[in-house]
Amino acid sequence: MREREYKIWNPEMECMDREQLVKLQGQRLKETVKRVYDNVPMYRKRMDDKGIKPEDIRGVEDLKYLPFTDKPDLRDQFPYGLFAVPKHDIVRIQGSSGTTGMPIVTGYTQHDVDVWTEMAARSVTMAGGGPDDIVQVCYGYGLFTGGLGLHQGATQVGAMVIPMSSGNTQRQINMLKAMGSTMLCCTPSYALLIGETVREMGIDPKKELKLRAGVFGAEPWSDKIRARIEELLNIDALDIYGLTEMAGPGVSCECLYKCGMHVNEDHVIPEIIDPDTLEPLPYGEKGELVFSTITKEGTPLLRYRTHDLCRLNPEKCQCGRTNVRMDRIMGRTDDMLIIRGVNVFPSQIETVLMGIPGVTPHFLLVVDRVGPTDTMEIQVEVTDEIFGDTVADLQSFSKLIYERIKSALGLSANIKLVPPKSIPRFEGKARRVQDNRKL
């Protein structure tokens, strides 16, 4: 790795005493609750139905009494039903692509754009970014928040920004080399593809590239994937988290100590709940991540269910930041597969496969139903060395994978070894599951 420089963009907020921070959160929460009650009919009805008035919320300790918000609410209220300000105060719309139906959209006032930019600037700084950096942004631009979010943050810290968007991998690499880019922003699966292509092009990243860090998000990934990206590109690979409903990338991000993503708690309050009982869980317990915005004007949201599974850690980080840290996303409650009565997350399979030498970071889980029985096939991409082995060796390798998967999941699966480059690569989010069942 290249020399690391540990920086903090906003020490006043990122290193605030916890007692002061909770007090600040409480004040901002009260203001937000009053705003949504007065201006958003959906929230006013839900609070009235629960017998709650804004004055009943005195601080963060009362958060548990407020109603939840979920993604269907954003679709049901499309396009303007959740706006808490007049439309003439909205300067930006961001949202999902809408590829599976009507998009969800979020409105931003200028204040909201500034807050989002601040959070993204903190993230770029956590990766060591500053005025001397050249940041190549390979997230998509448009309704999707990825490209514009990191673009704004990198610009705020004074870096030179190359707004490449996604696609045309060889061109991306040519620009990395020619421009001397020092930081890469994209999905981890695309970073893997870039790294593999760099090696195929005969480029030595230590000698021919100036990359030193990457900020990767928009999909779950493991420490095994991190290690592979860092090996391929000779960088520090950091995890970033965001969602359009809150702001975009920058809701939380890892620092160079890589021990959890620092949540920007002066702008959002995180909770962990039991996804079945919906009751709050203590720090350190695994559950569903829930966020409440406390500074957002355009589309403030209370107790938004992300359906992401993780843990929260309130301990002060070595970097000096006091914000709660969220662990790497461990899966999602709503893309969980139930196969023969067993809950299965693609991330579980990835963890097993990445612990087996000779397996690449690419796989496809194919689920089907034969009669009343679910079937599960895992197409596992292996290296040239493994795929070139004898039939007996391949059978032995398949059996090894089969046994480890069965041990981890409690389920048997058909293991199909496939040659290098046969599993599709994606410039955006990787698609790991093909569910052919008619459920």
Side-chain angles (χ1 to χ4, degrees):
M1 304 300 163
R2 299 180 188 276
E3 185 178 348
R4 296 167 174 164
E5 188 173 357
Y6 298 89
K7 304 175 182 178
I8 298 177
W9 175 252
N10 188 339
E12 179 185 1
M13 289 298 175
E14 296 178 74
C15 305
M16 183 179 288
D17 175 78
R18 291 292 308 171
E19 188 175 332
Q20 285 182 283
L21 177 58
V22 170
K23 185 177 179 181
L24 175 65
Q25 287 177 320
Q27 181 58 42
R28 290 179 170 181
L29 175 63
K30 289 191 289 184
E31 294 168 358
T32 297
V33 170
K34 179 75 162 59
R35 183 183 304 122
V36 300
Y37 186 86
D38 289 345
N39 296 291
V40 183
M42 184 193 81
Y43 280 123
R44 182 163 58 251
K45 182 179 185 306
R46 289 187 180 180
M47 289 176 63
D48 286 345
D49 289 346
K50 290 172 70 74
I52 300 170
K53 298 297 182 185
E55 53 268 25
D56 296 327
I57 305 302
R58 293 156 296 183
V60 175
E61 67 276 7
D62 295 325
L63 191 62
K64 60 188 176 184
Y65 301 119
L66 292 168
F68 288 103
T69 314
D70 211 335
K71 185 165 286 189
D73 295 322
L74 277 74
R75 293 196 173 101
D76 292 344
Q77 299 295 323
F78 177 86
Y80 303 128
L82 291 177
F83 283 16
V85 297
K87 282 187 287 184
H88 61 72
D89 288 337
I90 298 295
V91 300
R92 174 92 65 82
I93 291 290
Q94 301 271 186
S96 69
S97 62
T99 53
T100 58
M102 192 65 72
I104 60 166
V105 297
T106 309
Y108 297 69
T109 65
Q110 185 58 55
H111 166 81
D112 296 336
V113 173
D114 293 342
V115 166
W116 177 21
T117 300
E118 160 77 12
M119 292 194 290
R122 294 179 190 179
S123 301
V124 172
T125 305
M126 286 184 206
D132 296 329
D133 280 283
I134 300 172
V135 180
Q136 190 157 319
V137 180
C138 307
Y139 288 109
Y141 283 69
L143 270 181
F144 174 61
T145 55
L148 283 168
L150 270 301
H151 185 127
Q152 292 164 185
T155 299
Q156 183 77 0
V157 304
M160 180 193 299
V161 182
I162 306 176
M164 291 292 292
S165 193
S166 57
N168 200 334
T169 303
Q170 288 205 0
R171 183 167 176 252
Q172 298 275 9
I173 294 168
N174 289 337
M175 288 294 282
L176 285 173
K177 187 176 178 181
M179 301 299 293
S181 303
T182 58
M183 189 177 297
L184 178 66
C185 302
C186 61
T187 63
S189 53
Y190 193 39
L192 266 178
L193 177 57
I194 289 174
E196 291 171 347
T197 308
V198 161
R199 298 294 180 158
E200 290 169 3
M201 293 171 67
I203 296 172
D204 183 342
K206 291 184 179 180
K207 297 178 180 178
E208 300 179 69
L209 298 181
K210 294 186 178 179
L211 279 178
R212 57 168 185 76
V215 180
F216 307 125
E219 63 188 17
W221 52 306
S222 65
D223 280 326
K224 298 281 188 180
I225 296 290
R226 185 210 301 274
R228 180 61 176 155
I229 292 172
E230 292 185 338
E231 176 190 7
L232 288 169
L233 290 172
N234 187 42
I235 60 173
D236 280 300
L238 306 182
D239 201 356
I240 188 171
Y241 180 88
L243 59 169
T244 301
E245 297 91 325
M246 293 296 104
V251 170
S252 67
C253 189
E254 286 183 314
C255 69
L256 287 165
Y257 285 100
K258 305 174 190 173
C259 54
M261 291 176 277
H262 296 274
V263 180
N264 286 304
E265 291 186 277
D266 52 322
H267 297 296
V268 296
I269 300 176
E271 298 176 83
I272 295 292
I273 65 167
D274 183 311
D276 296 319
T277 67
L278 306 185
E279 291 298 317
L281 296 174
Y283 288 132
E285 291 288 320
K286 177 183 175 182
E288 180 181 336
L289 181 63
V290 171
F291 278 117
S292 297
T293 64
I294 52 174
T295 56
K296 196 165 187 182
E297 296 177 339
T299 319
L301 296 179
L302 299 178
R303 305 194 80 191
Y304 182 75
R305 297 185 60 185
T306 68
H307 295 279
D308 287 326
L309 295 171
C310 75
R311 298 184 181 93
L312 294 178
N313 178 2
E315 299 295 325
K316 183 178 179 179
C317 181
Q318 296 177 73
C319 70
R321 294 177 178 87
T322 54
N323 329 56
V324 158
R325 283 169 284 150
M326 53 182 277
D327 284 352
R328 187 181 296 281
I329 298 301
M330 303 169 184
R332 286 181 57 83
T333 61
D334 58 356
D335 65 359
M336 176 182 72
L337 296 165
I338 302 178
I339 302 172
R340 301 198 290 274
V342 177
N343 295 343
V344 176
F345 290 99
S347 56
Q348 292 174 291
I349 296 171
E350 180 184 281
T351 298
V352 173
L353 295 179
M354 290 306 298
I356 303 175
V359 172
T360 78
H362 308 285
F363 71 93
L364 179 65
L365 171 61
V366 181
V367 184
D368 213 330
R369 178 162 290 170
V370 179
T373 305
D374 291 337
T375 63
M376 180 168 65
E377 176 183 271
I378 306 175
Q379 297 178 12
V380 181
E381 186 180 287
V382 296
T383 61
D384 284 315
E385 291 79 9
I386 294 294
F387 202 74
D389 284 344
T390 65
V391 172
D393 288 335
L394 289 174
Q395 288 175 341
S396 176
F397 195 68
S398 292
K399 185 177 180 181
L400 168 68
I401 297 174
Y402 170 88
E403 294 295 345
R404 293 205 185 174
I405 291 290
K406 186 174 181 180
S407 175
L409 303 183
L411 276 177
S412 59
N414 178 42
I415 305 300
K416 181 180 180 181
L417 303 182
V418 298
K421 298 296 182 183
S422 57
I423 299 292
R425 272 47 167 174
F426 298 97
E427 292 164 354
K429 294 185 181 182
R431 293 189 286 276
R432 305 292 197 193
V433 178
Q434 180 180 314
D435 194 340
N436 298 326
R437 297 174 294 178
K438 307 295 183 183
L439 299 179

